[in-house]
Amino acid sequence: MTSAQGSPLVVIACQVFQSLIEKYLPEGMAEQVTFKDYGLHRVPSKLTWSVQEEIDNIEDPSLIMLGYGLCGNGLKGIKSREHTLLIPRTDDCIAVLLGSYKKYIQEFDATPGTYYLTKGWLESGSNPLQEYHECVAKYGEKDATWIMDQQYQNYERIAFVAHNQEDLEKYRPQAKEVAEYCKRWGMRYEEILGSDIYVRRLIEIASSPTKTDADFLVIPPGGEVTQEMFMR
Amino acid sequence: MSEIFEKLSTAVLEGDAEKTHKLVERGLKQGLSPKEILDNGLIVGMDEVGSRFKRGDMFVPEVLMSADSMAAGMEILRPLLVESGVEMLGKVVMGTVKGDLHDIGKNLVSMLCEGAGFEIIDIGFNAGPEKFIEAIKQHQPQVVGMSAMLTTTMRAMGQTIKAIEEAGLRDRVKIMVGGAPVDRDFANTIGADGYGSNAPSGADLAKQLVGAA
């Protein structure tokens, strides 16, 4: 199968989008689908070389759909080589999970100090409570508490983003457990029903790239991802 | 002599506050100057922390432990540095820009600038342009330092610089920027006077901006 552009479609995405992409990507549409480890964004330079390595391993000129945002500059410097890259034009996964850049900015302006929890982040154990446990094991309780306070004391809200009622209910106890711990900084717990529209549009544009708009970046062969491309 | 400096930088790198404290005291007893201890011991350690963090060989908790060790050393050195008449270099207004509440880096740069001889006016986190403008008017600093930790909030740096320009204050201050997503190109694009890639280089930059380095 190929994309409408005539080149094979390859998907390289963060695991945080796995369930959404698997749900909407028509079977056989992509020649290759790779979901990469959640944790890569913690060290943006590792994200860069790891994604670049995937791209460099693709032999035939392809349309590559990258399931990443700028991710702390993790995508900055990625070269398309002989391929075409299609990327959501967002700072990180949150805008994609909320459904639009606009919604993300609205949430951000309302409460900049928000820590987002998602099904993926909960599953991968990337949250303040888990971090606290890891720090206790390494530094003991007193230092661990101090380390956590330093990092999170300015946050105001912990928001769990889920895409359907089922996920909301399934992951709520875990989200609330984290939220309970975060109360020590006065963080309030909220639930936000995310939207799958950004992922659906990404897949739609992968099948007909001419439909692209300001919410997406298309990097032609020989191109390179820059930070400015994401600024709006 | 170099042995104690090496031990000090290692203690900072390993985030051992107690050891750092003891070594600073030992250095002073051996007759080393506070400035030597700061520059050749503490800052050398912090420099290495900055490089390792960038490479992904160190994470935020370790950096915090190192910063805390640095602070433990600074606690002893600060009054001595003032006493020994280290030249006061001027004032720095420091804050994280609007929307950004990550202040670990900003606090670290403040501490290092203080060690270098600056008076710090800390306007905290999530500081809107008006807060920077007010602080410039009130304190008349030579340098303004802005920090942003997210690509979402780094845009606010450009907006803040623009607001400072519109308030007619731009030529009165040098502006330095830093934070994880910021780089030299971005700093140039928004019209900053300088960019610091890590905390020690932020403090060095402040010195350069006032012509003291």
Side-chain angles (χ1 to χ4, degrees):
Chain A
M1 282 291 279
T2 60
S3 68
Q5 207 192 29
S7 332
L9 176 70
V10 173
V11 177
I12 302 167
C14 176
Q15 270 178 332
V16 80
F17 298 128
Q18 184 158 358
S19 56
L20 280 174
I21 290 177
E22 281 175 345
K23 185 172 171 191
Y24 291 108
L25 189 73
E27 217 181 313
M29 180 174 159
E31 195 124 299
Q32 183 195 323
V33 182
T34 309
F35 292 105
K36 297 181 70 68
D37 184 46
Y38 291 109
L40 285 170
H41 80 125
R42 285 195 191 190
V43 185
S45 57
K46 282 189 186 168
L47 177 57
T48 316
W49 65 251
S50 165
V51 169
Q52 188 67 62
E53 196 178 26
E54 296 282 352
I55 292 172
D56 293 351
N57 283 337
I58 300 166
E59 285 179 8
D60 298 325
S62 306
L63 174 66
I64 305 174
M65 181 176 117
L66 290 179
Y68 286 96
L70 179 55
C71 298
N73 285 335
L75 245 57
K76 181 182 149 189
I78 295 271
K79 293 177 177 65
S80 59
R81 311 290 191 209
E82 66 271 43
H83 313 291
T84 301
L85 308 178
L86 170 65
I87 312 167
R89 193 174 170 218
T90 65
D91 288 307
D92 51 39
C93 57
I94 305 301
V96 176
L97 296 169
L98 291 175
S100 70
Y101 175 75
K102 200 176 151 198
K103 172 81 175 147
Y104 170 64
I105 293 299
Q106 274 170 0
E107 289 288 343
F108 194 89
D109 286 344
T111 317
T114 300
Y115 188 97
Y116 288 97
L117 285 176
T118 67
K119 168 179 148 177
W121 294 121
L122 283 167
E123 277 174 351
S124 70
S126 179
N127 64 64
L129 180 59
Q130 184 62 31
E131 276 174 52
Y132 169 68
H133 289 316
E134 285 165 13
C135 275
V136 170
K138 211 165 170 187
Y139 303 103
E141 199 173 337
K142 189 169 159 258
D143 283 345
T145 299
W146 177 80
I147 287 168
M148 295 306 293
D149 287 350
Q150 292 296 307
Q151 292 185 81
Y152 295 107
Q153 61 196 356
N154 301 338
Y155 280 77
E156 295 168 55
R157 174 174 76 148
I158 181 154
F160 173 40
V161 184
H163 283 82
N164 53 57
Q165 209 55 38
E166 197 190 325
D167 279 353
L168 210 52
E169 272 156 34
K170 186 173 167 198
Y171 292 91
R172 181 178 287 138
Q174 225 180 318
K176 283 199 147 176
E177 197 190 339
V178 179
E180 192 57 38
Y181 171 66
C182 293
K183 270 190 188 162
R184 59 179 282 106
W185 302 298
M187 281 162 82
R188 63 178 192 275
Y189 174 71
E190 281 178 22
E191 290 174 351
I192 301 176
L193 198 59
S195 163
D196 48 21
I197 188 75
Y198 216 136
V199 168
R200 277 163 48 203
R201 285 177 62 208
L202 179 65
I203 292 168
E204 194 186 319
I205 292 166
S207 67
S208 34
T210 50
K211 285 186 183 167
T212 190
D213 59 30
D215 285 334
F216 301 90
L217 294 171
V218 177
I219 316 290
E224 183 176 330
V225 179
T226 68
Q227 192 181 54
E228 296 78 60
M229 292 172 175
F230 290 85
M231 294 291 154
R232 52 175 168 171
Chain B
M1 259 335 148
S2 67
E3 195 199 331
I4 190 156
F5 292 140
E6 212 176 296
K7 278 186 180 163
L8 251 176
S9 61
T10 307
V12 170
L13 187 60
E14 288 172 352
D16 191 333
E18 211 173 307
K19 203 170 177 185
T20 306
H21 189 101
K22 278 184 189 153
L23 285 165
V24 167
E25 281 182 334
R26 193 192 301 169
L28 290 168
K29 263 189 204 146
Q30 287 178 7
L32 295 170
S33 77
K35 193 162 179 347
E36 279 176 305
I37 295 175
L38 175 65
D39 290 347
N40 305 333
L42 300 181
I43 290 189
V44 172
M46 219 50 228
D47 253 328
E48 182 59 23
V49 171
S51 313
R52 291 194 186 184
F53 180 62
K54 203 141 237 183
R55 286 201 305 266
D57 294 337
M58 254 175 114
F59 290 95
V60 175
E62 285 117 27
V63 173
L64 278 167
M65 296 299 278
S66 292
D68 190 42
S69 306
M70 170 97 203
M74 279 302 289
E75 209 181 337
I76 311 171
L77 295 180
R78 193 178 298 117
L80 299 174
L81 285 164
V82 175
E83 224 173 80
S84 66
V86 165
E87 190 194 352
M88 287 311 282
L89 299 177
K91 291 181 187 172
V92 182
V93 162
M94 288 283 293
T96 79
V97 292
K98 190 174 161 63
D100 208 303
L101 38 91
H102 304 89
D103 57 1
I104 295 170
K106 184 261 297 170
N107 295 343
L108 197 48
V109 176
S110 295
M111 180 164 71
L112 293 168
C113 282
E114 211 178 354
F118 285 98
E119 183 188 335
I120 302 298
I121 293 113
D122 188 343
I123 58 169
F125 61 90
N126 191 14
E130 66 294 339
K131 215 165 171 184
F132 278 95
I133 289 170
E134 200 188 298
I136 296 170
K137 282 184 182 164
Q138 195 186 334
H139 301 281
Q140 307 193 334
Q142 285 71 32
V143 180
V144 172
M146 294 177 197
S147 163
M149 220 42 67
L150 306 172
T151 52
T152 313
T153 51
M154 63 192 271
R155 300 167 173 94
M157 289 180 154
Q159 289 155 9
T160 306
I161 293 181
K162 219 168 168 196
I164 292 172
E165 264 168 27
E166 281 163 9
L169 301 167
R170 181 65 185 92
D171 52 359
R172 292 202 210 161
V173 290
K174 297 285 185 190
I175 297 178
M176 59 179 194
V177 295
V182 181
D183 63 12
R184 197 171 300 280
D185 287 346
F186 180 76
N188 290 338
T189 310
I190 60 169
D193 296 302
Y195 152 75
S197 64
N198 60 30
S201 74
D204 275 346
L205 177 61
K207 283 197 266 183
Q208 280 170 32
L209 291 175
V210 296

